[in-house]
Amino acid sequence: MIIDIHGHLVAPPQMYEYQAKLFARRSPFKGPSLSDDLLRSKLADHLNVLTSGGIDVQFISPRPYTMMHSLFGTGVVNVWTRYVNDIIQRQCGLFPEHFRGVAGLPQFRVTDLAPVVAELERCVLELGFVGCLLNPDPCEADGTPQPGLGDGYWYPLYEKLCELDVPAMIHSASCSSPRESYSLHFINEESIAVIGLLQSRVFEDFPELKIVVAHGGGAIPYQLGRFRARNLKTGGEDFTDRLRKLHFDTVLYSSEALELLFRVVGPGNCLFGTERPGTGAVVDPRTGQSLDDLKPVIDALDILTDEDRRQVYETNAKRLYRRAFA
Amino acid sequence: MIIDIHGHLVAPPQMYEYQAKLFARRSPFKGPSLSDDLLRSKLADHLNVLTSGGIDVQFISPRPYTMMHSLFGTGVVNVWTRYVNDIIQRQCGLFPEHFRGVAGLPQFRVTDLAPVVAELERCVLELGFVGCLLNPDPCEADGTPQPGLGDGYWYPLYEKLCELDVPAMIHSASCSSPRESYSLHFINEESIAVIGLLQSRVFEDFPELKIVVAHGGGAIPYQLGRFRARNLKTGGEDFTDRLRKLHFDTVLYSSEALELLFRVVGPGNCLFGTERPGTGAVVDPRTGQSLDDLKPVIDALDILTDEDRRQVYETNAKRLYRRAFA
């Protein structure tokens, strides 16, 4: 079985019409009902892309850059996040053999986490979701100082993740900086998140916590040496070992990067992800294949054994996301 | 000849005593004179480290995290930067066979670049320096919005770099964010700088501009695929080709990362750098060697030919830094 743990919702325009009106009105109101037929019609292309890429099951979450984590207050973000999560649950219900739900969380800046924890619990216990996204930068790069992921601010969420036994995927949302696109900001936030977690007591305080870092871990597997140097100087655990407290997806659109990831963190800590259809949905003229068609790329890497590939494609995901195939 | 293009000043404590008083006083005053003997005594260890690493010549610049680019106004940063550059010039004069000077620039936030351009000119024409550092984040992550490196704000500096025919090395300074160390911030700022330059018209407007990105280019060589995807979608130049407008140093303390860098950007765009003595100055128990002793690591990479290595160690540096061996 080929499991893609990093996919996002493909939604009809009526959903974004509702979002545009939330942006415009800046206060919460109830979203429109969308029919099964409308949802189903939008999913045909999505399912074709998965089938053509050999993907049996994809985990889908909200498109992160649309999550509005820094705008308009808790009221808007709560109503919007619940609405999107409910659509994801409907899509999973329409195609239960192909999709599992991953929750967006209604993070609003660094305010009270209680609504965030409550929505996680609702999604897992009521909607049958298997994990969530976690945005390490809910201020969306607007310059507000924020606590790192090692800070106690996040502990109520970590407690709930452990209690529910679901992983969180590190994935930032939009970006207000004039110097960074949201796409580049994802990468920088993943680096900040990895270091924030591994240079803190989080995994000592929550040994059962399961964290997946999107896009192959930002810069850190590539920049590993400088963090090894720091830990060797301060007497900490070897950073190469410490890095294996985390898991990483394979949303890296080059074979050189995938090879580095597998060599540095090991196939036991990597989970197949493509984000199809998303950032990499474009044909590479050098290969004639879509850049996000990653299974042939991973199949061709001679550093992996068949057993390594089985871990990456299937068994790591089943081990981490225990609720996905229960 | 082995040329290390990324080294920093090793200074006696009297220099930092002066800096501490600048911090404390928050207004400029003249720094102390340091004797040749004092400077020479501090350099014995530095020279030993270079010799033991097989390094013939090192380019030295201010230690970036000490540059004070966001604090106390132009007066303090001007007097401090000139003072540090003058010490570098003294060190180069004491050991002209081993050192070349790379200027720190008195950037203060995003104020007028005229003093920055003037100090660059002074360092190159009067002190004999061969290049400079360029901090893409002079606000040092304090949350102030800033122009990216593609912005016209930077053009007077690019003009002067071209006129003087010297390269700038992208290297941020300190970091006020509660979530990032300055060391991690270096990496994120390099990623922002690479994308800011390559998604702008800078190299079309300044085809002769020479930019070296420190620490192997932050995240970008590893995250290349997502930027290729963007350019393929928008009809821009293949990002792999575009990346070769830039040069990269080898300050990456793992053989996996060095291999990826050479494969992705090519040895013709890589310059040997170690930062010795600096971040990587610690023995790796896995090898018994210092992490920043990079020549044996590069010598052992079987993807490089002898001619590739000669480019990385010597000829690329001589081609880019034309004033270094004139």
Side-chain angles (χ1 to χ4, degrees), chain A residues 79-96:
Chain A
V79 73
W80 170 243
T81 306
R82 283 179 69 102
Y83 183 79
V84 175
N85 285 332
D86 287 345
I87 291 181
I88 289 171
Q89 190 253 351
R90 298 261 313 282
Q91 291 195 344
C92 293
L94 290 171
F95 299 96

Side-chain angles (χ1 to χ4, degrees), chain A residues 205-233:
Chain A
D205 292 341
F206 299 95
E208 306 301 319
L209 183 65
K210 297 188 284 196
I211 300 284
V212 179
V213 190
H215 313 116
I220 304 304
Y222 177 60
Q223 293 285 348
L224 176 78
R226 64 193 302 104
F227 302 101
R228 288 195 70 220
R230 176 193 178 275
N231 279 18
L232 287 168
K233 285 178 184 178

Side-chain angles (χ1 to χ4, degrees), chain B:
Chain B
M1 184 187 287
I2 309 295
I3 304 167
D4 177 353
I5 65 139
H6 189 155
H8 300 299
L9 175 64
V10 176
Q14 285 82 351
M15 186 183 92
Y16 294 109
E17 181 183 2
Y18 171 50
Q19 183 175 33
K21 289 176 177 169
L22 281 169
F23 272 112
R25 199 186 286 194
R26 290 161 219 173
S27 65
F29 67 99
K30 190 172 181 300
S33 296
L34 305 182
S35 70
D36 280 358
D37 281 351
L38 190 60
L39 293 177
R40 204 180 273 114
S41 71
K42 198 66 198 177
L43 282 173
D45 285 352
H46 191 165
L47 289 168
N48 282 341
V49 167
L50 299 187
T51 306
S52 72
I55 295 162
D56 297 303
V57 180
Q58 190 181 52
F59 298 175
I60 52 173
S61 56
R63 295 224 163 244
Y65 81 99
T66 69
M67 292 175 75
M68 299 205 286
H69 282 172
S70 68
L71 302 176
F72 313 137
T74 50
V76 169
V77 78
N78 276 325
V79 72
W80 170 242
T81 306
R82 284 179 69 103
Y83 183 80
V84 175
N85 285 331
D86 287 344
I87 291 181
I88 289 172
Q89 190 252 351
R90 298 261 313 283
Q91 291 196 344
C92 293
L94 289 171
F95 299 96
E97 69 277 33
H98 290 305
F99 292 125
R100 296 292 181 280
V102 167
L105 299 180
Q107 299 179 242
F108 178 66
R109 298 180 168 272
V110 286
T111 52
D112 181 21
L113 276 179
V116 170
V117 171
E119 178 64 1
L120 172 63
E121 189 156 35
R122 183 184 81 95
C123 287
V124 173
L125 298 184
E126 296 177 29
L127 307 188
F129 282 22
V130 303
C132 68
L133 302 180
L134 168 54
N135 180 3
D137 169 38
C139 293
E140 299 186 320
D142 76 347
T144 308
Q146 298 174 88
L149 289 186
D151 195 278
Y153 169 75
W154 300 100
Y155 274 33
L157 180 58
Y158 300 153
E159 276 169 29
K160 185 57 70 178
L161 287 163
C162 292
E163 178 196 319
L164 297 170
D165 192 19
V166 291
M169 173 182 278
I170 303 297
H171 202 314
S172 67
S174 199
C175 177
S176 297
S177 164
R179 300 190 303 147
E180 282 174 284
S181 65
Y182 69 81
S183 176
L184 173 58
H185 192 61
F186 292 165
I187 304 308
N188 288 342
E189 284 298 324
E190 287 147 18
S191 300
I192 292 171
V194 169
I195 300 302
L197 286 166
L198 297 185
Q199 291 183 354
S200 76
R201 290 187 40 82
V202 166
F203 284 102
E204 283 66 43
D205 292 341
F206 299 94
E208 306 302 319
L209 184 65
K210 298 188 283 195
I211 299 283
V212 179
V213 191
H215 312 116
I220 304 303
Y222 177 60
Q223 293 286 348
L224 177 78
R226 64 193 302 106
F227 301 101
R228 288 195 70 220
R230 175 193 178 275
N231 279 19
L232 287 168
K233 285 179 183 175
T234 57
E237 185 180 11
D238 190 313
F239 192 80
T240 309
D241 300 326
R242 195 141 179 86
L243 202 53
R244 297 183 187 205
K245 304 266 185 204
L246 301 169
H247 290 76
F248 300 88
D249 73 21
T250 64
V251 183
L252 289 164
Y253 303 126
S254 82
S255 100
E256 293 88 352
L258 287 163
E259 182 170 332
L260 181 139
L261 179 70
F262 292 131
R263 287 168 68 185
V264 165
V265 310
N269 286 60
C270 297
L271 287 79
F272 185 65
T274 68
E275 208 195 307
R276 304 191 83 174
T279 300
V282 62
V283 171
D284 182 355
R286 298 182 183 201
T287 64
Q289 304 297 314
S290 186
L291 268 172
D292 55 11
D293 189 9
L294 292 178
K295 185 168 177 295
V297 181
I298 294 172
D299 284 344
L301 285 179
D302 59 16
I303 56 160
L304 296 181
T305 65
D306 287 348
E307 174 52 27
D308 292 337
R309 283 192 195 87
R310 213 170 81 87
Q311 284 189 63
V312 172
Y313 290 141
E314 179 178 359
T315 54
N316 293 339
K318 287 184 170 173
R319 175 169 49 82
L320 235 66
Y321 290 85
R322 287 209 196 127
R323 291 174 179 270
F325 301 94

Side-chain angles (χ1 to χ4, degrees), chain A residues 4 6-7 46 50 56-60 98-100 274 276:
Chain A
D4 177 353
H6 188 156
H46 191 165
L50 299 187
D56 298 303
V57 179
Q58 191 182 52
F59 298 175
I60 52 174
H98 290 303
F99 292 125
R100 297 291 181 278
T274 69
R276 302 192 81 173

